[in-house]
Amino acid sequence: MQLIHAPASPFARKVRVLASETGLLPRIELVDTAVLPVTLNERVNALNPLGKIPVLLTDDGEALFDSRVICEYLDSLHDQPRLFPIEPTMRWRTLRLAALADGLMEAALLVRYERAVRPVELQWNEWAEGQLGKVRRALLALEAHVEELQGPLHIAQIAVACALGYLDFRFAELDWRKGLPGLASFQASFAARASMVESTPA
Ligand code: 99T
């Protein structure tokens, strides 16, 4: 399999962490590819009309996206306990938490594009602040549900850890740990896992 990814992408990092945790990483060739909303990447566009990474090329020649679908696909390929829970109560709570983490990443990424890609004279601060409001509310909600991040490994733990890692990488000035001791403690221990250390964005 091939994973079209970029080291900075928290979405791709989720896939790498899940692959590492489930022993699938040796079966995946990492293909480093830069994408931005304003530069055409014909290879990525041909595989994913949305022009976004990650994309997984399976051994059957399928191009799978987005990160949620790729993670669930990889979770079907190993024999260890499922990282997408099957028991209904656990499943929907976990997927909701993972969606919250993904939404946090998406809002943060929009701010990143607004500030780093959009020409200065076109930047709209109120809009970026609106996105950062989503990030802050998501952080508060994660802190309130931090007990759901304990216990056996599941996809929401991975998604939350990658979202927080993205804030550390691109938004250090946010100081997200302030006032969020539960989340800070979760991240301190989760970020020490080999799967996280080997996928740290540089
Ligand atoms: O938006 C674009 O045109 C290109 N952006 C991407 O491909 C980003 C890279 S993260 N990926 C996504 O937005 C994927 C979102 C999708 N829902 C998923 O896979 O879950 C780049 C981060 C950075 O450089 O700071």
Side-chain angles (χ1 to χ4, degrees), residues 152-173:
L153 184 64
H154 57 60
I155 183 62
Q157 294 169 4
I158 295 174
V160 169
C162 292
L164 298 176
Y166 187 64
L167 294 184
D168 282 334
F169 178 56
R170 294 286 198 209
F171 295 87
E173 73 284 358

Side-chain angles (χ1 to χ4, degrees), residues 3-189:
L3 181 68
I4 320 293
H5 86 120
S9 167
F11 305 99
R13 192 179 187 191
K14 278 193 307 177
V15 176
R16 290 177 63 184
V17 170
L18 183 141
S20 173
E21 294 284 350
T22 55
L24 292 168
L25 204 52
R27 289 176 53 186
I28 299 175
E29 180 194 349
L30 297 175
V31 180
D32 202 332
T33 310
V35 283
L36 280 175
V38 285
T39 38
L40 288 181
N41 183 320
E42 293 303 353
R43 177 160 192 228
V44 173
N45 287 350
L47 297 171
N48 174 1
L50 302 174
K52 297 186 183 194
I53 54 160
V55 177
L56 182 79
L57 291 176
T58 72
D59 289 340
D60 301 328
E62 294 280 345
L64 292 184
F65 55 86
D66 61 4
S67 64
R68 290 167 260 226
V69 175
I70 299 170
C71 285
E72 191 153 5
Y73 172 74
L74 292 178
D75 200 33
S76 73
L77 297 186
H78 64 85
D79 295 328
Q80 297 174 38
R82 288 274 172 268
L83 302 190
F84 284 74
I86 293 163
E87 189 277 314
T89 305
M90 182 70 178
R91 178 172 177 80
W92 303 122
R93 279 197 183 146
T94 303
L95 292 190
R96 178 178 59 186
L97 211 52
L100 190 57
D102 284 351
L104 192 163
M105 289 180 216
E106 277 157 18
L109 180 60
L110 289 178
V111 178
R112 164 78 187 162
Y113 284 157
E114 177 73 10
R115 292 182 175 164
V117 180
R118 192 182 290 265
V120 175
E121 65 277 13
L122 297 178
Q123 288 182 17
W124 185 9
N125 198 45
E126 288 85 346
W127 184 88
E129 279 303 322
Q131 299 302 327
L132 286 173
K134 295 175 198 283
V135 170
R136 290 191 197 98
R137 289 192 300 277
L139 287 169
L140 287 173
L142 289 171
E143 176 75 12
H145 292 272
V146 79
E147 78 285 350
E148 293 177 26
L149 296 172
Q150 307 308 319
L153 184 64
H154 57 60
I155 183 62
Q157 294 169 4
I158 295 174
V160 169
C162 292
L164 298 176
Y166 187 64
L167 294 184
D168 282 334
F169 178 56
R170 294 286 198 209
F171 295 87
E173 73 284 358
L174 274 188
D175 196 11
W176 67 262
R177 289 172 179 78
K178 206 168 158 193
L180 305 175
L183 215 44
S185 154
F186 161 77
Q187 188 67 350
S189 100

